[in-house]
Amino acid sequence: GQQVMQIPQYQHVQEGEDFTTYCNSSTTLSNIQWYKQRPGGHPVFLIQLVKSGEVKKQKRLTFQFGEAKKNSSLHITATQTTDVGTYFCAGSNAGGTSYGKLTFGQGTILTVHP
Amino acid sequence: DTGVSQDPRHKITKRGQNVTFRCDPISEHNRLYWYRQTLGQGPEFLTYFQNEAQLEKSRLLSDRFSAERPKGSFSTLEIQRTEQGDSAMYLCASSPIGSGELFFGEGSRLTVL
């Protein structure tokens, strides 16, 4: 079945440094989503990417979807302590953009040292 | 707060007992999902409803697991004859038609002794 791999598993940064997490799927995806889970919390939706080569920005966060729609990345510029948490990518190979059966990566745990 | 709510938040049970979790989705969302998350892993898809119809079940969902959404509103997830391997966080999520964005609840943490 579909597998979604995410690296690195852990990332420790000093506040102000940049952070990137990478996601690779074993199959072509119809869309990819990113979620953030704070310690002790539940996953919270960040963004959905649908188009090949798509790039979206949310303030200090930049999301990319690969040309082959098999990989994605999340880059955070100038991390802040509020960025702490686990970042998950989640892919879908169902048709369209409206199906919520997602295969999640194992997540990247981000620690930010002040 | 009109987010997704789950009950109970924590459940400790002995192996072999049955447990039931309830999920109340966001009221205008007609899609409801159950996921399971173990420590250090991402959520794993279990099952999915559109209104009252259960449209897909994961192979992870053994015969001991059953989910219902009888009136297309709240949903229940029952685990019969629990095993220690069932210990996990059970997450419910909902979404409206036309959107793939999942709104997760706080989860129900199950510990099987």
Side-chain angles (χ1 to χ4, degrees), chain A:
Chain A
Q2 180 182 60
Q3 289 186 316
V4 175
M5 304 300 293
Q6 212 175 327
I7 56 169
Q9 188 174 359
Y10 303 94
Q11 186 75 60
H12 303 269
V13 299
Q14 289 292 131
E15 190 172 19
E17 291 181 339
D18 293 355
F19 159 75
T20 305
T21 174
Y22 300 92
C23 182
N24 285 284
S25 170
S26 59
T27 60
T28 302
L29 300 170
S30 60
N31 68 82
I32 196 159
Q33 299 180 19
W34 286 88
Y35 289 80
K36 178 183 178 181
Q37 187 171 24
R38 294 184 183 275
H42 58 280
V44 175
F45 175 84
L46 294 176
I47 208 157
Q48 178 173 267
L49 304 170
V50 178
K51 300 176 183 176
S52 169
E54 190 170 15
V55 178
K56 287 189 175 180
K57 293 190 176 184
Q58 288 180 350
K59 298 182 180 179
R60 295 178 294 105
L61 277 62
T62 302
F63 304 84
Q64 290 188 304
F65 200 10
E67 293 290 341
K69 301 184 74 173
K70 294 183 72 174
N71 57 71
S72 182
S73 65
L74 158 60
H75 179 83
I76 302 178
T77 303
T79 54
Q80 300 174 358
T81 55
T82 53
D83 295 325
V84 163
T86 303
Y87 292 85
F88 292 101
C89 63
S92 171
N93 58 8
T97 62
S98 59
Y99 191 37
K101 179 189 173 185
L102 301 172
T103 301
F104 280 76
Q106 65 267 51
T108 295
I109 300 172
L110 174 63
T111 304
V112 180
H113 300 284

